[in-house]
Amino acid sequence: MRGANAALGTAGLAVFLALGEVAPRLGLVKEAYFPPTSRIADALGQEATDGAFWTALGDTLTGWALGLVAAVVGGVVVGLVLSVVPYLREATASTIEFLRPIPSVALIPLAVLLYGTELRSVLLLVVYASFWQVLVQVLYGVRDVDPVAEETARSYGLGAWARTRHVLWPTALPYVMTGVRLAAAVALILAVTAELVIGAPGLGARIAVAQSSQAVPDLYALVVVTGLLGLLINLGARAVERRALAWHQSVRGEVAV
């Protein structure tokens, strides 16, 4: 099944690339705005030989990784504390629902005011956007704990830490992994967006330079790089999820299929 899905995905990508090559050459779209796939590939090859490109890629991955780690750790810790401490979840529910919908891009002026175009501006936006992905999933996961299992653990004299480790965490872990996978994608989006808008070092800033200099093939090549990064991050997150949840019925069923 996986082999068939991979083959279909490869075929779909090949058709898409072929259309990208043919459409500009037939005049269906203006080549000045949408260059053929071959020109984009040539620009991508030139980017790969430029040391500044790899420096920008490293800057983007640094902001992505640091922000994601901070968001995951903060989301898990805060989520568990809110769920374990009595009445704390109810006391903070309105605050969470107020802060969570605020778009991270709305914080760009604040980030620039506080940190300028430094890495910390990128981290502020990345952490803010990714944190909610993890926190909400942790809260959903804890809410899904079986009350009978919770009461059984209490009747056996398990303390708060033991109940969290043996009852709450195994139930919440699938939700946590979903939150991590979502946060990984959101972190990349915000890292590139922050670099593009703020001008912080990274692929986003390099895209902005290509746009302002009318280097259209280079612009598309850099966009392709960000897309490939997103694909690799998603595949990596799914691999980690399958490994961490190898004991869970959803993953066992997926492997069986």
Side-chain angles (χ1 to χ4, degrees):
M1 181 64 71
R2 286 186 182 179
N5 291 337
L8 289 174
T10 302
L13 178 61
V15 171
F16 176 76
L17 294 176
L19 289 175
E21 178 70 24
V22 172
R25 297 191 182 280
L26 294 179
L28 300 178
V29 294
K30 289 186 177 182
E31 189 171 336
Y33 302 137
F34 192 91
T37 303
S38 57
R39 287 188 59 194
I40 297 175
D42 291 340
L44 183 58
Q46 293 175 6
E47 288 286 343
T49 61
D50 188 351
F53 164 77
W54 295 104
T55 301
L57 178 61
D59 291 334
T60 297
L61 290 178
T62 298
W64 168 79
L66 293 177
L68 179 62
V69 169
V72 170
V73 173
V76 170
V77 172
V78 173
L80 291 177
V81 171
L82 293 180
S83 302
V84 172
V85 178
Y87 306 112
L88 189 57
R89 173 70 181 95
E90 290 76 11
T92 57
S94 58
T95 303
I96 292 175
E97 292 305 318
F98 169 74
L99 293 175
R100 185 166 63 93
I102 298 177
S104 295
V105 292
L107 301 179
I108 288 179
L110 176 62
V112 174
L113 180 64
L114 292 175
Y115 305 119
T117 59
E118 298 179 8
L119 175 62
R120 289 182 291 179
S121 295
V122 177
L123 292 179
L124 173 63
L125 301 175
V126 169
V127 172
Y128 185 85
S130 305
F131 171 79
W132 302 111
Q133 308 296 325
V134 180
L135 175 63
V136 170
Q137 290 297 323
V138 172
L139 295 178
Y140 284 153
V142 173
R143 190 180 301 174
D144 198 39
V145 173
D146 188 353
V148 176
E150 177 73 14
E151 290 302 323
T152 302
R154 291 180 182 273
S155 66
Y156 276 97
L158 272 67
W161 168 248
R163 293 198 306 274
T164 300
R165 179 183 177 185
H166 298 291
V167 179
L168 187 152
W169 182 247
T171 303
L173 185 57
Y175 293 86
V176 173
M177 295 310 301
T178 299
V180 171
R181 177 160 48 84
L182 295 174
V186 170
L188 178 64
I189 294 171
L190 264 298
V192 175
T193 301
E195 294 163 357
L196 181 62
V197 177
I198 297 175
L203 290 176
R206 199 166 174 86
I207 290 174
V209 171
Q211 179 191 21
S212 61
S213 60
Q214 299 297 313
V216 178
D218 297 285
L219 171 64
Y220 279 97
L222 292 168
V223 171
V224 168
V225 171
T226 60
L228 291 174
L229 278 181
L231 176 62
L232 292 175
I233 287 171
N234 185 62
L235 291 175
R238 287 189 177 277
V240 172
E241 184 177 15
R242 285 194 296 268
R243 186 176 182 85
L245 300 177
W247 52 272
H248 196 265
Q249 60 182 359
S250 62
V251 174
R252 291 204 306 269
E254 179 182 339
V255 172
V257 171

